[in-house]
Amino acid sequence: MSTPTNLKVSEPTKGVLTITLHRPEALNALNTKLLEELADLLDEIQSNPEVGAVVITGSSKAFAAGADVREMATLDAVGVLRDPRVDHWKRITAFKKPLIAAVNGFCLGGGCELAMHADIIIAGEEAKFGQPEIKLGIMPGAGGTQRLLRAVGKSMAMQMVLTGEPISAQQAMGFGLISEITIPETTVERAQKVAQQIARHAPIAVEMAKDSVLKAFDTDLASGLLYERKAFTLLAATEDRNEGINAFIEKRKPAFKGC
Ligand code: CO8
């Protein structure tokens, strides 16, 4: 993969890789190039055993202010239909390792949709979450009507999507869109701490646990419980499961190997 120009990527530290969206001139607006670089990077990380979890963040002013409106203005209906970003979003959705969004500042439109692709969102107290597309005569197109509804419920999702007005980090916390509020200076650090905690666990168990929780979004309870049970049973075939249980019994720290 060539070096990304719209992302800053850390070396893995304690099993955690940090990706920083970097288009300061456009408040990290998600253009095709940025999304392609992100999707390529996540594809690559997928098979890197040194990475147990990923933190994605932006700047103190903006996590991301949405899709790139200037680029969108160049697309007609066929252009939107054939938009390569649809495939990039699919690849981001398919990422199997835990993804934690550390959000400060504006988190709008496609930016909010990207944050909602994360498994956990931790936000600074000044963060603003919104789906302002309606003000542009369009609507959310990368999951904003679906994932937002599942995160905050019908009434608040409708209010955000139909008025285009953002909500504060405190409101986002109250509605369950995010899991923690921090002071802005410590948002990334806190997300990295949570990611490190996750990255210490058995990788296959983490992957299956994430997969099972996500299954709840698109299945009924009985099917979800069956799915969970099968994943739980499969884990019994891993060496890490024996290691985890034996380490507990022997009162020592487990040494997981990812198999
Ligand atoms: N796209 C392109 N450029 C942007 C964007 C954007 N989304 N947001 C900000 N910028 C640029 C501005 O144009 C400006 O550039 P310049 O200095 O060259 O004029 C620079 O970033 C700084 O922005 P502002 O001067 O506007 O900064 P303010 O602090 O005054 O305002 C706001 C910040 C409130 C965030 C304001 O910039 C704003 O309203 N931005 C647009 C927000 C928006 O409407 N987002 C939704 C976009 S549509 C979308 O996300 C649809 C997703 C569908 C995905 C489907 C994929 C298949």
Side-chain angles (χ1 to χ4, degrees), residues 115-139:
M116 288 190 289
H117 275 71
D119 304 302
I120 297 170
I121 306 177
I122 293 174
E125 57 199 359
E126 307 295 334
K128 292 247 174 296
F129 296 85
Q131 298 291 160
E133 290 90 340
I134 203 79
K135 295 181 181 178
L136 303 175
I138 55 172
M139 59 176 278

Side-chain angles (χ1 to χ4, degrees), residues 11-129:
E11 287 300 317
T13 308
K14 298 184 181 170
V16 174
L17 186 118
T18 302
I19 302 172
T20 307
L21 307 177
H22 187 63
R23 282 193 76 211
E25 71 285 3
L27 300 182
N28 295 331
L30 308 171
N31 63 5
T32 303
K33 185 78 187 137
L34 185 154
L35 279 175
E36 182 180 15
E37 288 178 354
L38 181 59
D40 286 350
L41 179 64
L42 293 179
D43 281 350
E44 190 185 291
I45 294 167
Q46 195 70 71
S47 55
N48 183 346
E50 281 183 48
V51 179
V54 173
V55 169
I56 183 163
T57 191
S59 68
S60 57
K61 177 145 191 209
F63 177 76
D68 190 303
V69 177
R70 288 192 175 84
E71 189 183 46
M72 254 177 14
T74 65
L75 298 179
D76 60 10
V78 175
V80 172
L81 183 71
R82 303 270 182 251
D83 194 338
R85 283 178 299 178
V86 175
D87 175 59
H88 304 330
W89 281 112
K90 273 191 196 150
R91 291 194 289 139
I92 295 167
T93 308
F95 186 57
K96 292 195 177 112
K97 298 188 183 195
L99 184 61
I100 298 167
V103 174
N104 280 308
F106 297 111
C107 186
L108 303 176
C112 190
E113 289 168 317
L114 178 59
M116 288 190 289
H117 275 71
D119 304 302
I120 297 170
I121 306 177
I122 293 174
E125 57 199 359
E126 307 295 334
K128 292 247 174 296
F129 296 85

